[in-house]
């Protein structure tokens, strides 16, 4: 965990106690804390990547089917910045297709890891002139990404239940989840501008199920349709975690919450071809 984590969680506990949440429930919630890295366009932290920019790929890499959202220099990330089993070096490229008409219909992005020392060359960026087919879609944001570290707590109140009317039921182990989330969202913090949250928990505006677990279920259906490569080992939706959440600021889609997810097994195996991107939007 980042060195400032104990202070952040201590303040969170104190605020939660003043709201009348039982100490045992607070403790079970904070046990779920995950370290995360914020890669933002504001601040004075070290540069660890960039939003947008030139698309640098190995000569034999296929053209990506969607736009480059960010490039992360993995060697620039300090150990322990996240709880993700990321490669220690090379570059992680995240690609995005923030198309609201395809929400729930398929993968909205992809990812690629380029190992350190691999020769790369610039690839023409305008790969899909039909991409801007919505009045609110514009070029993806650009800018250097600077590192700050933080801690992340869940943003969901329910778990999947196929027999429930909405498909979800209240989390059986965290009856105060909604109140705990309210306390967390009111904690003071500095904005990072546009950028990424790397690791931690993804957020969506519905706040029901963990978005990464929901992405894992979508990914399993995509595998069954032949649209996503199968895993090397058994993977459950519960094994999926947030790779990154995108703070994009796209005009007209400001309230759309977009994230890339991956199973821990695929991450350990370097299977970035199985990354699954999702978005929620409630205009």
């Amino acid at each position: 965990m980042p060195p400032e984590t104990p202070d952040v969680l201590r303040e969170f506990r104190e605020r939660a106690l003043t709201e009348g949440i039982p100490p045992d429930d607070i403790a079970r919630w904070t046990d779920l804390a995950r370290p995360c890295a914020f890669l933002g366009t504001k601040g004075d932290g070290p540069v660890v990547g960039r939003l947008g920019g030139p698309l640098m790929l190995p000569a034999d890499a296929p053209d990506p089917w969607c736009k480059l959202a960010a490039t992360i220099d993995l060697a620039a990330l300090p150990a322990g910045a996240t709880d993700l089993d990321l490669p220690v070096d090379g570059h992680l490229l995240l690609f995005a297709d923030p198309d609201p008409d395809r929400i729930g219909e398929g993968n909205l992005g992809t990812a690629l890891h380029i190992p350190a020392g691999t020769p790369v060359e610039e690839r023409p960026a305008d790969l899909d002139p039909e991409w801007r087919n919505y009045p609110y879609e514009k070029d993806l944001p650009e800018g250097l990404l600077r590192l700050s570290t933080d801690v992340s707590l869940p943003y969901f109140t329910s778990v999947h239940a196929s027999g429930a009317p909405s498909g979800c039921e209240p989390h059986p182990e965290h009856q105060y989840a909604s109140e705990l989330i309210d306390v967390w969202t009111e904690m003071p913090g500095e904005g990072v501008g546009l950028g990424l949250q790397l690791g931690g928990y993804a957020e969506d505006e519905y706040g029901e199920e963990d978005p990464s677990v929901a992405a894992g279920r979508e990914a399993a259906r995509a595998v069954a349709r032949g649209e996503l490569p199968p895993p090397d080992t058994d993977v459950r939706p519960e094994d999926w975690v947030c790779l990154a959440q995108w703070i994009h600021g796209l005009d007209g889609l400001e309230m759309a919450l977009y994230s890339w997810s991956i199973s821990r097994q695929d991450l350990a195996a370097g299977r970035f071809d199985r990354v699954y991107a999702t978005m929620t939007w409630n205009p």
Side-chain angles (χ1 to χ4, degrees):
M1 288 284 186
E4 62 272 21
T5 295
D7 291 338
V8 173
L9 294 181
R10 185 181 305 111
E11 182 177 354
F12 170 74
R13 293 187 191 97
E14 292 172 354
R15 288 171 175 250
L17 284 170
T18 63
E19 294 297 322
I21 303 173
D24 288 349
D25 292 273
I26 299 171
R28 283 196 299 273
W29 196 250
T30 55
D31 284 346
L32 301 176
R34 295 174 180 171
C36 65
F38 280 108
L39 314 183
T41 54
K42 293 183 179 179
D44 56 3
V47 174
V48 295
R50 66 172 298 130
L51 291 174
L55 175 58
M56 307 301 295
L57 292 174
D60 59 351
D63 285 345
W65 60 269
C66 52
K67 296 288 186 177
L68 176 66
T71 300
I72 303 167
D73 180 1
L74 296 175
L77 297 176
T82 76
D83 70 338
L84 300 176
D85 188 14
L86 291 166
V88 298
D89 55 21
H91 288 85
L92 178 62
L93 278 59
L94 297 173
F95 301 88
D97 178 23
D99 184 346
D101 283 350
R102 294 185 59 241
I103 291 175
E105 301 296 327
N107 199 348
L108 298 182
T110 186
L112 175 67
H113 174 240
I114 302 177
T118 303
V120 294
E121 57 188 34
E122 186 169 353
R123 189 77 56 90
D126 192 14
L127 302 173
D128 183 6
E130 300 299 320
W131 180 78
R132 290 197 283 282
N133 56 356
Y134 293 92
Y136 45 76
E137 285 184 351
K138 300 187 182 300
D139 290 333
L140 301 190
E142 298 196 5
L144 296 179
L145 291 174
R146 296 182 178 275
L147 173 70
S148 62
T149 55
D150 206 337
V151 62
S152 178
L153 287 173
Y155 282 97
F156 56 90
T157 62
S158 308
V159 293
H160 179 69
S162 57
S166 67
C168 287
E169 62 182 9
H171 202 303
E173 299 175 9
H174 301 285
Q175 62 176 313
Y176 291 92
S178 180
E179 292 85 349
L180 289 159
I181 291 170
D182 287 344
V183 173
W184 185 244
T185 55
E186 292 172 2
M187 291 279 289
E190 297 182 3
V192 297
L194 303 178
L196 304 167
Q197 174 189 304
L198 194 63
Y201 292 93
E203 178 184 1
D204 68 38
E205 68 266 31
Y206 302 113
E208 291 183 345
E209 186 184 11
D210 183 341
S212 297
V213 174
R217 283 204 316 279
E218 276 198 41
R221 293 193 291 268
V223 170
R225 296 192 300 265
E227 298 172 359
L228 191 73
D232 297 328
T233 60
D234 290 338
V235 173
R236 306 171 304 153
E238 294 78 12
D239 299 325
W240 284 67
V241 294
C242 175
L243 176 61
Q245 180 135 47
W246 190 21
I247 309 165
H248 52 72
L250 291 172
D251 289 346
L253 290 175
E254 291 88 353
M255 299 305 295
L257 295 171
Y258 183 108
S259 60
W260 295 265
S261 298
I262 189 170
S263 76
R264 291 198 183 273
Q265 297 95 320
D266 290 324
L267 188 56
R271 291 292 308 274
F272 290 97
D273 59 325
R274 282 189 30 85
V275 164
Y276 200 87
T278 54
M279 184 172 76
T280 58
W281 188 44
N282 187 15

